[in-house]
Structures are given as structure tokens and as C-alpha cells.
């Protein structure tokens, strides 16, 4: 009687304990703590000497405060080391979970093959020698397969233990202040040393130099700079978008934690702190609302990136930029520049507009990837200084900032350049035009909507540097802001510098005009309502902007230009046309 030894079953694969997502939350909490302790270090160093106080008591005070600063620096460095270990542990857990899943599949496959072999053995009564030999060979192969699987499971268990021990070692390495002090070697912190290198944001490096500097840092140095100086990393043009998002979220969290705690304690916040709190809350609300959106093609939840954040910039108006999609990898990238009344408190509404651009672009080209950014990175006229909208100074200064920001988007790219479109709305269109005409804005297409003019120095679309064929205008015929622009050959609309320049929708300007009417134009009590409809879902404007963003120019619904006969007022043919919903074309909103 022939015996065929069938190898035994394999025990269930042990679960990998630990949740990478929760570990990353823990790491972010550590980094936020490091930011706060680093702030204590900075505050203490700045307070070590008090003006007008000298003598032994002053010297003793200085030594004590400098000692506190040094200890805060040491604790911050130690916490960052633990955070780095936590990141490595989260990465290890992710890999270990993937290996366990693979092994579980291998185990299932092994058991299926074993069951097939047993069934064939039971069926092989009076089998000839060849059949028996085949069954024996299958059993031997199955035994080898089992041995490999068992060894892989044992290796997984060892690697789980190693990862856990590494994390435990990191947590216990800085259990005392003396151990924390040892984290700062040679009296200089890793973060400060990294920022001292050429090309860093602190050294005034260009976006290209900043990108090269960041890529040249080790992972430990990158994390150290991120935790010690998130305000530098978060605003540095040329640093990857996901890194800037992490730095800015740290800033946002620490801002809100500190300010809301003071508010809860009943403190009456000074005006600058109150403005910072309102800006921080607006940014948080925009990120929360953005995370409720889904990609219109895949149905996956969006993960908005906080690409810029400074709640105290511009005298309390704040700076903020939020991206849908990753601008470092997307095929098509757009930057929306808002205008009058835009400050940090308007983050949610402008982020909503940016998502609608993203949505329209994805509908227009489902096979391409898209990133859409709303950028309030300049001091737009708002609140008490709204009357500055009648002058170009804010647009001139903002144009320089915008040009550098877009240069940073180019510099931080992974792989081939993106097709990049800048969409300027209202006063933001004048800012965009200044970025293009004064600083060589690195865009492929420029879209000006609701524009009061492209600036006193821009006579023609070709002056914007991207070629007139790539300049697009979308002024609604009922938009009172668009009516502020100059029409005609006299040029009187600039009023000696008080106006915004030529009408970008006019034939003489030479831009491509697209349909931008709303089916609800001219309705309601607000005379400026039509000025705010360009990014609404279901409008001709948002449909056309989406087509431009993905470079599908043939699908853009063109409109007749405004013209200005010398014997009469300017004529806008769009005023008498019946508006449609995205040109009556798919997709359905």
C-alpha cells in the first residue's frame, strides 16, 4: 500500500497589533507639542535681557532664563526624535499589515491546494504508478510551500517585535531632562543647522533653490525643520504641497488651541488676537467642509491641503491657500485668485469656489488628474481698506507675490511640468495681470473673470506674456464691477491711475471671450450679485473654466466681444443672449 504524506494545515496568521493612522495622529500631537516648546525656547531667549536692567540680579535672571530656553530647546529636539521614531513605526506597521494580508492570502491558497490534493487522493483508488507519483510530487511541493509560509510568518512576528521595540526604545530614550539635553549635540539644534544652509527659505533662496535645499535634507533634518519652524516650511514656495500642508496644520492647531483656551477662560482678546482666531476658525471650517466633498469621477473623499496659512499676516487680514488635489503630481493645476473683500475669514467660500473648478475640470477630462487651489496670498482690499480697490497698488504688490507662488508650484513638481492656469476674479484679475506683465507669471493660460481691468500698463492680451490665444475673459454682462473697466480708444477709464485699465472682454483687448452669463442674472435686490456667480455650479462660466483648465479649448463656449463704437456707448452682445446651463452640455450637475 502506497502512503502519500500530506502536510498539515497552517495556523491562522497573527494580527499585527497597532493602527498606523492612530500612530500618525500621535506623531502630529508630538509635533504640535514640539512647536509649543520651541516657541517657549524662542520667547525665553528673547526675554533673557530686559532693557534698562543691569547688575547682579539682571545677570542671574538672564542665566536662569537662558537655562530655561536651553532646556526647552532640548525638550523640543527630544520630542522631535520621538516623533521621527513614530513616523518610522507607522511606516513599519503599514508594511507589516500589507505583508500579513499577503501571507493570509497565501495561507488560503495553501489550504485550497491541500483540500484539492486530499480529494484527488481519495478518488485515486486502484490508480496506476504515474498517478501515484504525481500525487506524491504534489504533496512534496505542498510541504515545501508550507515550510516557506511558516518561515515567513515567523519572520513577520520577529519584525513586528523589532518595530515595537524600536518605538519603545525611542519613548524611553528621553525619559529624563538630562537625556533630552543630550539630544542637542554640539550646542546647535539639527533644525537650526539645516536652516543655515544655502538655499533655505531663511537665506532668501528662490523657489528653485528652496526645492533643492529641501531635497538635500535627510528625513531627520526635514522633520526637525518642520517641527521647529512650521511657519517657515508652511509658507516656503518650492517645498512639496503635502509637507506645507502638514506644517500649516501644525500652525493652525497650535493657534486655535492657544487662542480658544484664552477665550474659554473668559479673557477679552485684543483685536489682533481676535482677528487671528477668526482667521484660524475660518481655515478650519474650510478644511472640514472640503473634506466632505468627493471626487466627481471616482467618488473618493477629498483631502484638502492647507498650502498656505498665516492668521496674522497683513495686519490681521491673514493669508490662506487651500488645494484640492496634489499640485505636485496633477496633470492640470489651477490657481484661483479672489479679489475685493478677500481675507482669511473668507476661506470657506473661496475654497468652495476652488472645489467647483476642480469638479468642472474633472468632468471635462475624467482621465486626467487635477489640482485646484484658492490663493489668498496677497493683501486684497477688504474691510476698512476696501476703498483701495480703486487703485492698483495692492494688485501690483500682490502680483509679485503671486508670481513667486506660481514659481514655487513649478519648482516643487514631481516629474513633468503641469498645465497650469491662473484664474483671477475681480480685483484678483488685476493682480493676476500684474503678475504676468510685471513678473513673467509662469502660467500656460490666464483666465480673467469679473474683471475691472488688466491694469493701466496692459493695452492688449499679448502684454501678459502667455500669448493672446491663451488669455481668456469671462465678464458677465450684468456685472457692475466689470463695467468699471475702460472701453474705447481714449483711455479715460483709468482716471489718472484711479481705475483698473482696459476692458478685458472688449474686441480691442484681444483675449478669448467665453460665455459667463448666469440663468439668474439681474435678479434679486443685490446689484453685485452677478459679480459673485462665476464659480457657481451649473453656470456657463464654471463649465468653460473647467475646459480651459484641462486645455480642451475646442469645447469652450465662445462669446462675442464687447465693442465700443465712437458714436455710442459700449455694446455688449451677451446682454441680449439667453443664458444656458453649462451650454446645455453634459455633465449634469
Amino acid at each position: 500500500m502506497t502512503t502519500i504524506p500530506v502536510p498539515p494545515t497552517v495556523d491562522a496568521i497573527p494580527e499585527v497589533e497597532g493602527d498606523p493612522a492612530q500612530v500618525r495622529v500621535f506623531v502630529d500631537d508630538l509635533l504640535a507639542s514640539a512647536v509649543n516648546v520651541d516657541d517657549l525656547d524662542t520667547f525665553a531667549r528673547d526675554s533673557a535681557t530686559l532693557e534698562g536692567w543691569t547688575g547682579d540680579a539682571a545677570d542671574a535672571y538672564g542665566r536662569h532664563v537662558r537655562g530655561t530656553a536651553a532646556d526647552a530647546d532640548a525638550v523640543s529636539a527630544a520630542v522631535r526624535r520621538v516623533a521621527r521614531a513614530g513616523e518610522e513605526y507607522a511606516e513599519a506597521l503599514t508594511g507589516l499589515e500589507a505583508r500579513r494580508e499577503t501571507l493570509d492570502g497565501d495561507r488560503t491558497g495553501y489550504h485550497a491546494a491541500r483540500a484539492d490534493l486530499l480529494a484527488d487522493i481519495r478518488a485515486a483508488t486502484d490508480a496506476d504508478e504515474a498517478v501515484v507519483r504525481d500525487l506524491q510530487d504534489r504533496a512534496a511541493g505542498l510541504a515545501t510551500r508550507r515550510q516557506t509560509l511558516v518561515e515567513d510568518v515567523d519572520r513577520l512576528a520577529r519584525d513586528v517585535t523589532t518595530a515595537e521595540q524600536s518605538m519603545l526604545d525611542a519613548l524611553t530614550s528621553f525619559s529624563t531632562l538630562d537625556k533630552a539635553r543630550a539630544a542637542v549635540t554640539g550646542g546647535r539644534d539639527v533644525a537650526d543647522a539645516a536652516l543655515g544652509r544655502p538655499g533655505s527659505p531663511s537665506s532668501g533662496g528662490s523657489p528653485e533653490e528652496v526645492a533643492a535645499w529641501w531635497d538635500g535634507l535627510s528625513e531627520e533634518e526635514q522633520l526637525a525643520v518642520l517641527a521647529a519652524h512650521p511657519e517657515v516650511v508652511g509658507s516656503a514656495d518650492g517645498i512639496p504641497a503635502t509637507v506645507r500642508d502638514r506644517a500649516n496644520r501644525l500652525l493652525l492647531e497650535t493657534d486655535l488651541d492657544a487662542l480658544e483656551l484664552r477665550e474659554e477662560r473668559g479673557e477679552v482678546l485684543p483685536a489682533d488676537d481676535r482677528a487671528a482666531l477668526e482667521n484660524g476658525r475660518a481655515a478650519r471650517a474650510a478644511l472640514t467642509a472640503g473634506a466632505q466633498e468627493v471626487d466627481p469621477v471616482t467618488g473618493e473623499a477629498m483631502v484638502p491641503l492647507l498650502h498656505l496659512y498665516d492668521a496674522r499676516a497683513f495686519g490681521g487680514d491673514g493669508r490662506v491657500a487651500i488645494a484640492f488635489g496634489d499640485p505636485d503630481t496633477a496633470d492640470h493645476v489651477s490657481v484661483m485668485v479672489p479679489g475685493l473683500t478677500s481675507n482669511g475669514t473668507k476661506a470657506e467660500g473661496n475654497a468652495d469656489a476652488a472645489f467647483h473648478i476642480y469638479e468642472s475640470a474633472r468632468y471635462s477630462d475624467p482621465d486626467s488628474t487635477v489640482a485646484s487651489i484658492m490663493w489668498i496670498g496677497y493683501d486684497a482690499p477688504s474691510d476698512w481698506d476696501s476703498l483701495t480697490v480703486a487703485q492698483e497698488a495692492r494688485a501690483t504688490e500682490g502680483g509679485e507675490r503671486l508670481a513667486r507662488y506660481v514659481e514655487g508650484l513649478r519648482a516643487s513638481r514631481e516629474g513633468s511640468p503641469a498645465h497650469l492656469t491662473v484664474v483671477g476674479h475681480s480685483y484678483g484679475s488685476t493682480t493676476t495681470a500684474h503678475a504676468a506683465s510685471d513678473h513673467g507669471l509662469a502660467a500656460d493660460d490666464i483666465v480673467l473673470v469679473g474683471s475691472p481691468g488688466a491694469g493701466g500698463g496692459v493695452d492688449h492680451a499679448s502684454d501678459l506674456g502667455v500669448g493672446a490665444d491663451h488669455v481668456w475673459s469671462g465678464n458677465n454682462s450684468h456685472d457692475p464691477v466689470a463695467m468699471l473697466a475702460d472701453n474705447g480708444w481714449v483711455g479715460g477709464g483709468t482716471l489718472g491711475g484711479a481705475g483698473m485699465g482696459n476692458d478685458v472682454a472688449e474686441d480691442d483687448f484681444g483675449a478669448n471671450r467665453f460665455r459667463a452669463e448666469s440663468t439668474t442674472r439681474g435678479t434679486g435686490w443685490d446689484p453685485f450679485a452677478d459679480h459673485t456667480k462665476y464659480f457657481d455650479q451649473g453656470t456657463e462660466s464654471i463649465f468653460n473654466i473647467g475646459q480651459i483648465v484641462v486645455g480642451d479649448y475646442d469645447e469652450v463656449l465662445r462669446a462675442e466681444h464687447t465693442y465700443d463704437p465712437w458714436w455710442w456707448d459700449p455694446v455688449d452682445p451677451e446682454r441680449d443672449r439667453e443664458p444656458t446651463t453649462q451650454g446645455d452640455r453634459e455633465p449634469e450637475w
Side-chain angles (χ1 to χ4, degrees), residues 174-257:
F174 306 105
S175 56
T176 66
L177 182 57
D178 285 339
K179 290 181 178 180
R181 287 168 177 156
V184 182
T185 58
R188 192 176 190 194
D189 184 59
V190 173
D192 294 334
L195 278 174
R197 296 181 190 173
S200 75
S202 299
S203 69
S206 67
E208 291 79 6
E209 291 169 337
V210 169
W213 165 80
W214 181 261
D215 288 342
L217 299 180
S218 67
E219 291 184 354
E220 179 183 359
E221 290 170 329
Q222 289 178 347
L223 188 67
V225 174
L226 172 69
H229 302 284
E231 75 287 351
V232 174
V233 175
S235 62
D237 296 320
I239 287 182
T242 53
V243 176
R244 292 182 64 164
D245 171 69
R246 193 172 189 186
N248 287 320
R249 285 178 186 263
L250 282 174
L251 289 172
L252 176 62
E253 180 180 345
T254 53
D255 275 357
L256 290 176
D257 283 350

Side-chain angles (χ1 to χ4, degrees), residues 477-493:
S477 64
H478 284 60
D479 182 353
V481 174
M483 297 175 190
L484 298 175
D486 172 44
N487 294 97
W489 58 273
V490 177

